[in-house]
Amino acid sequence: MSAIYGVGAIVGGRPHRHRAVGPPDVGDPENVGEHVERAVQVVEQDQLAGTLPAPDLPGAGYFDLVERSHLLQDFEQRVRAICDLLKINLSVVAGFVYSKITEAQKDQKELVVQVASRDLKSRMPEYELIRIIGILIDNALESTAPFGTAYLYLDSRQNQIEIRTRNKGSVKTNEFRQNMFSPGYTTKTGDRHGHGYGLYNLKKLTDKYNGKIYLDTVNTDQGDYIQFDVIV
């Protein structure tokens, strides 16, 4: 997967290109230790074969066999992606992301992870990287409908980590761009208690280490996707 960027917009003084799963708020430091411990236990106890549901294969006709081949190839690629994830140098991050994959499946959603570099470097300590990754994943999965897919991409360059998420949708209104990092701001309807602090915490953490946040709408053959890109 190559990076796809669009024309930028200014959000919160920075250049921006165009349900919380698990704990109540991964941005809360009190939740991090417990969640990481549980994530590592999941990695240690689970069998990799049980991580992804086996594909539902069709019959034995010619076109069925072609479809079966494509399904098996796709399944193999996803298993390899999880293997790549578990081999990165940040073992706690690997366990945490792995737990998010399994949690997404319980909600009938899929989190697809691509690791471009197994040697991830950042000035930010691992326990705070987990907070950023958690906020981005939760934000993407919350915006993903059941049976839908969200994407996570991890890379590293110039001693900085790049964390990118993508989910179906498009960048919202100008009001959203201007207020997305404000504490308590949310586009959710209904009970708003406890919402609106994920992106606020994301910006605080990223600013702390002089990182950058990019927001973009990416146009693909499958439709529009919202893409968050954090480099820190």
Side-chain angles (χ1 to χ4, degrees):
M1 177 194 292
S2 59
I4 305 176
Y5 298 107
V7 178
I10 301 299
V11 182
R14 291 179 174 275
H16 281 67
R17 312 169 202 173
H18 311 278
R19 169 184 163 206
V21 178
D25 181 8
V26 178
D28 184 348
E30 295 180 359
N31 293 323
V32 172
E34 177 184 349
H35 196 62
V36 169
E37 181 179 353
R38 181 163 61 86
V40 173
Q41 289 174 352
V42 169
V43 175
E44 291 175 346
Q45 294 173 6
D46 267 17
Q47 296 292 330
L48 181 59
T51 300
L52 292 173
D56 185 13
L57 300 178
Y62 173 76
F63 292 105
D64 292 331
L65 291 175
V66 172
E67 183 181 356
R68 177 180 294 189
S69 174
H70 291 159
L71 286 171
L72 289 174
Q73 288 176 3
D74 181 63
F75 182 69
E76 180 182 2
Q77 288 175 354
R78 297 181 187 203
V79 171
R80 285 180 177 176
I82 292 176
C83 290
D84 286 341
L85 169 66
L86 298 180
K87 292 177 182 178
I88 65 175
N89 59 311
L90 302 177
S91 58
V92 179
V93 168
F96 179 79
V97 173
Y98 181 92
S99 76
K100 288 295 186 182
I101 294 173
T102 60
E103 287 175 2
Q105 290 169 359
K106 294 176 184 177
D107 289 335
Q108 298 181 311
K109 301 177 183 182
E110 184 173 14
L111 176 63
V112 173
V113 179
Q114 180 178 1
V115 177
S117 172
R118 294 180 182 174
D119 186 22
L120 301 174
K121 298 180 180 179
S122 176
R123 296 187 298 271
M124 180 177 284
E126 195 167 2
Y127 75 93
E128 292 197 314
L129 283 174
I130 285 175
R131 295 175 65 189
I132 281 186
I133 292 171
I135 291 168
L136 289 171
I137 290 177
D138 287 349
N139 192 65
L141 286 174
E142 189 175 61
S143 301
T144 299
F147 308 105
T149 303
Y151 299 87
L152 171 69
Y153 173 90
L154 298 173
D155 197 3
S156 192
R157 63 190 71 177
Q158 298 178 343
N159 293 319
Q160 289 185 304
I161 189 172
E162 179 180 5
I163 307 162
R164 184 192 312 156
T165 56
R166 185 182 291 185
N167 58 272
K168 273 285 185 73
S170 59
V171 175
K172 304 181 188 294
T173 62
N174 288 332
E175 179 192 8
F176 174 77
R177 290 181 180 275
Q178 294 169 2
N179 297 294
M180 60 185 292
F181 296 120
S182 300
Y185 177 77
T186 179
T187 58
K188 298 178 178 64
T189 58
D191 182 10
R192 299 189 175 194
H193 179 70
H195 293 292
Y197 290 91
L199 295 180
Y200 169 72
N201 289 327
L202 174 69
K203 186 174 187 301
K204 279 181 59 178
L205 282 168
T206 306
D207 287 349
K208 181 178 177 181
Y209 294 91
N210 299 316
K212 296 180 180 179
I213 304 174
Y214 300 98
L215 172 64
D216 197 7
T217 296
V218 179
N219 307 114
T220 73
D221 293 338
Q222 291 74 40
D224 291 344
Y225 284 80
I226 294 177
Q227 179 171 288
F228 272 97
D229 211 344
V230 175
I231 302 175
V232 64

